[in-house]
Amino acid sequence: MVGGAVTSRDLVLGRLRAALATGGPAPAPVSRDYVQADTVDVDQLAQRLTDYRAHVHRATEAAVADTIADLLPAGATVVVPPGLPPAWLPSTVTTLTDDGLDHGRIGAADAVVTAAAVAIAQTGTIVLDGSPDQGRRVLSLLPDRHVCVVRAEQVVATVPEALARLTPHRPLTWISGPSATSDIELIRVEGVHGPRHLHVVLLP
């Protein structure tokens, strides 16, 4: 109150106190009957990623290391999460396993290689959840180049289907192409908030 008059603030706070005192009405149930796709189109994922300026590469599990070797110059320094399959890494690169690396060393690396938790075909989105083969969120933010390996079995059609596979309390990172932003004149600038280059290796 100001000088005995009821202000808008007093009115709002009074209503909040009254609602909290009575417990308020029970929240209305929310329908979770989302449409489920009959099929998953991995080619659609590849197309969406390409539209977002990511680079998509098809490979077999046995050829992952050779594919990554073709993407990175010999001697490149590559940060990897501790649970990444060693067979994915070519002998032509220098590997730094993230055992608590400081941000300076991570940012100075030429690239990071991770796996993924799930990928969404309709939106061209890859989700990381901090599992041992994906590592800390900072790994996907600081290096200039991110190479992400996605298995076909991890691809779903829609966002609701992806959410059904994810654990909400895990640190989820949603990636749709390389980092990009634009200024007031709509000039696109890449690499401000993450890697400028995203390479996705799709496995059958």
Side-chain angles (χ1 to χ4, degrees):
M1 283 188 185
V2 179
V6 177
T7 65
S8 297
R9 179 177 181 274
D10 296 328
L11 185 62
V12 171
L13 290 177
R15 289 176 178 172
L16 288 172
R17 292 188 187 100
L20 291 173
T22 60
V30 177
S31 173
R32 304 294 183 186
D33 188 22
Y34 299 114
V35 174
Q36 301 291 310
D38 295 327
T39 60
V40 177
D41 189 350
V42 177
D43 290 334
Q44 184 183 40
L45 171 67
Q47 183 59 56
R48 292 285 190 273
L49 287 167
T50 301
D51 290 344
Y52 297 147
R53 301 192 186 185
H55 304 278
V56 179
H57 314 270
R58 306 275 188 156
T60 63
E61 180 95 22
V64 171
D66 289 338
T67 302
I68 293 176
D70 290 338
L71 299 178
L72 303 176
T77 302
V78 180
V79 176
V80 299
L84 194 78
W88 287 1
L89 299 171
S91 59
T92 54
V93 301
T94 300
T95 302
L96 289 178
T97 301
D98 179 34
D99 54 2
L101 296 172
D102 62 56
H103 290 183
R105 294 190 72 188
I106 296 172
D110 297 301
V112 59
V113 177
T114 74
V118 67
I120 307 167
Q122 287 186 357
T123 62
T125 304
I126 295 170
V127 187
L128 312 184
D129 69 357
S131 293
D133 59 358
Q134 297 152 57
R136 297 184 290 160
R137 178 177 286 133
V138 69
L139 300 187
S140 65
L141 295 176
L142 294 183
D144 193 52
R145 188 180 306 268
H146 182 184
V147 180
C148 186
V149 182
V150 179
R151 292 186 169 92
E153 65 198 40
Q154 296 176 308
V155 181
V156 297
T158 66
V159 172
E161 290 172 279
L163 290 172
R165 293 195 181 192
L166 297 168
T167 304
H169 68 263
R170 295 193 65 83
L172 303 179
T173 303
W174 297 64
I175 303 169
S176 295
S179 169
T181 187
S182 61
D183 60 18
I184 196 171
E185 296 179 347
L186 300 182
I187 297 174
R188 180 183 173 99
V189 180
E190 297 179 347
V192 177
H193 307 295
R196 286 186 301 152
H197 307 283
L198 173 64
H199 293 268
V200 179
V201 181
L202 287 178
L203 305 185

